[in-house]
């Protein structure tokens, strides 16, 4: 099954590609992204495997359509770095005055996202750990991230084959913004908008899957399974839909703590999802002030190399309500 259409977009000597399969207007339009960050290879490798299966006829798109972008940030991919000139997954929005490489990518990627209904964005992380899914907010009509499709988004997420879910990203990020000084680039509320946030802003829904550690071959298997399960769940391919996971761990980001100075240090190495007890020492400020856990919970996304004024770590709570 050859692609129904292939779009290419060149930025200097680098090229973006989008391969679309299927053209049935009665079904959903899915888009799958790899390598939004250039050192996260699992999404690209899994997409390439799926493209091979589609081209050979081993997978057939019977309904709707699916578009694959194997490398969403070709500069970061070429450098095998998280960013090219900045983080593509922050401040993702079209601009009339592109300056950085990622601005040009956004001017191509954002309209492409807007032509689809559902997004699956495949990522990986630095330290060893279990895969998890980043979800959007509950349905709401608030000013930050209004949303009406959380039931569809969470139904899809439950069928990916992953049991750990995290939500609360954008409003937690916004609380951090409110504490940062005016004029700081990191204090722009729009800086928290990435691929899924943009997708929701144009009427769609989507999830980010953190498939595993960057160099773990198992992360590629997770990414491939997520693609296949999403295709089947949405009814784009033949066969029974995957079963929902029977065990759920649902976490909610509740706060972000910034690194104020390069002398701010963790007490020891932390991994995402390490448990915290109220009052437990997490680190110390450069002036010796202790940084402690305000309540029982978990630490997420600890970054010992964070720049001063940027996110140092996040705090999360367990959610007992059903996903």
């Amino acid at each position: 099954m050859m692609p129904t259409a292939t779009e290419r977009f060149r930025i200097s000597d680098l090229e973006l590609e989008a391969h679309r399969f299927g053209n049935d207007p009665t079904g959903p339009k899915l888009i799958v992204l790899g390598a939004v960050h250039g050192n996260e290879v699992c999404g690209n490798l899994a997409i390439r495997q799926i493209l091979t299966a589609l081209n050979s006829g081993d997978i057939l798109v019977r309904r709707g359509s699916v578009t694959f972008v194997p490398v969403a940030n070709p500069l970061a991919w070429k450098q095998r770095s998280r960013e090219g000139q900045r983080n593509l997954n922050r401040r993702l929005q079209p601009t009339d005055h592109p300056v950085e490489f990622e601005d040009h990518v956004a001017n191509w990627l954002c309209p492409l996202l807007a032509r689809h209904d559902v997004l699956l964005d495949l990522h990986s992380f630095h330290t060893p750990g279990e895969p998890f899914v980043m979800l959007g907010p509950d349905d709401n009509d608030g000013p930050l991230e209004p949303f009406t499709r959380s039931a569809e988004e969470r139904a899809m997420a439950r069928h990916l084959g992953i049991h750990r879910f995290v939500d609360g990203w954008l409003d937690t990020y916004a609380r951090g913004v409110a504490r940062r000084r005016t004029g700081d680039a990191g204090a722009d509320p729009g800086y928290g908008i990435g691929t899924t946030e943009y997708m929701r802003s144009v009427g769609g829904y989507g999830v980010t899957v953190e498939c595993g550690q960057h160099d773990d071959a198992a992360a590629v298997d997770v990414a491939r399974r997520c693609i296949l399960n999403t295709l089947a769940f949405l009814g784009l391919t033949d066969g029974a839909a995957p079963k929902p996971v029977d065990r759920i761990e649902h976490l909610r980001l509740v706060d972000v703590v910034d690194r104020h100075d390069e002398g701010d240090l963790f007490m020891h190495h932390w991994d995402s999802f390490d448990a915290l007890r109220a009052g437990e020492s997490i680190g110390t400020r450069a002036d010796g002030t202790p940084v402690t856990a305000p309540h029982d919970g978990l630490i997420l996304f600890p970054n010992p190399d964070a720049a001063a004024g940027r996110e140092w770590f996040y705090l999360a709570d367990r959610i007992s309500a059903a996903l």
Side-chain angles (χ1 to χ4, degrees), residues 212-229:
Q213 196 271 338
H214 293 330
D215 300 319
D216 187 353
V220 182
D221 296 334
V222 171
R224 184 178 63 250
R225 183 180 71 230
C226 285
I227 296 171
L228 293 173
N229 283 1

Side-chain angles (χ1 to χ4, degrees), residues 4-306:
T4 304
T6 297
E7 295 183 32
R8 292 182 171 86
F9 180 70
R10 182 167 290 276
I11 307 171
S12 186
D13 62 335
L14 298 172
E15 190 172 69
L16 289 137
E17 294 183 347
H19 307 281
R20 176 166 58 87
F21 294 81
N23 196 31
D24 174 12
T26 66
K29 297 183 289 292
L30 169 68
I31 183 168
V32 184
L33 303 183
V36 165
H37 297 131
N39 61 339
E40 302 179 13
V41 303
C42 65
N44 173 273
L45 296 176
I47 287 172
R48 295 295 182 190
Q49 292 176 7
I50 298 297
L51 290 176
T52 297
L54 284 162
N55 287 326
S56 68
D58 290 339
I59 298 175
L60 296 175
V61 176
R62 302 289 194 182
R63 174 174 172 264
S65 66
V66 56
T67 300
F68 295 95
V69 181
V71 177
N73 191 336
L75 178 59
W77 181 256
K78 179 181 179 180
Q79 298 172 171
R80 283 300 191 271
S81 59
R82 178 174 173 81
E83 306 174 7
Q85 295 179 333
R86 69 169 176 85
N87 190 341
L88 178 62
N89 218 26
R90 302 289 187 273
R91 204 173 71 242
L92 183 70
Q93 56 194 20
T95 176
D96 292 333
H97 304 287
V99 176
E100 295 164 311
F101 182 86
E102 283 78 3
D103 295 336
H104 294 279
V105 174
N107 280 348
W108 176 81
L109 183 59
C110 289
L112 181 65
L113 290 171
R115 299 202 302 267
H116 292 78
D117 306 313
V118 186
L119 166 65
L120 177 66
D121 191 3
L122 301 167
H123 288 249
S124 60
F125 43 82
H126 179 69
T127 54
E130 291 185 36
F132 62 97
V133 182
M134 291 291 294
L135 299 170
D138 296 330
D139 285 351
N140 71 95
D141 58 2
L144 183 64
E145 193 178 12
F147 193 41
T148 61
R149 305 186 70 177
S150 65
E152 295 169 89
E153 185 175 281
R154 295 181 182 204
M156 170 183 150
R158 288 194 301 269
H159 290 79
L160 295 175
I162 296 171
H163 80 273
R164 177 175 279 168
F165 305 89
V166 180
D167 67 26
W169 158 254
L170 195 56
D171 54 351
T172 300
Y173 185 88
R175 283 194 289 275
V177 164
R179 291 196 292 262
R180 297 183 187 117
R181 64 185 184 275
T182 302
D184 183 353
D188 174 6
Y191 192 74
I193 295 175
T195 58
T196 52
E197 290 77 22
Y198 186 82
M199 191 70 182
R200 296 181 197 111
S201 76
V202 293
Y205 66 89
V207 298
T208 295
V209 181
E210 298 283 354
C211 300
Q213 196 271 338
H214 293 330
D215 300 319
D216 187 353
V220 182
D221 296 334
V222 171
R224 184 178 63 250
R225 183 180 71 230
C226 285
I227 296 171
L228 293 173
N229 283 1
T230 301
L231 290 170
F233 173 74
L234 294 175
L236 272 65
T237 54
D238 289 338
K243 294 181 179 179
V245 291
D246 56 8
R247 178 171 63 93
I248 289 176
E249 182 183 18
H250 186 185
L251 309 175
R252 177 159 294 163
L253 298 175
V254 294
D255 205 1
V256 56
V257 177
D258 289 350
R259 195 180 192 194
H260 296 162
D261 186 279
E262 290 185 0
D264 295 353
L265 300 173
F266 287 127
M267 291 298 295
H268 57 77
H269 173 81
W270 292 101
D271 287 332
S272 277
F273 304 102
D274 281 347
L276 295 170
R277 299 297 300 271
E280 182 176 356
S281 181
I282 298 172
T284 57
R285 297 295 185 186
D287 64 1
T289 301
V291 179
T292 60
H295 49 73
D296 291 355
L298 301 92
I299 188 170
L300 267 68
F301 316 133
N303 183 2
D305 300 319

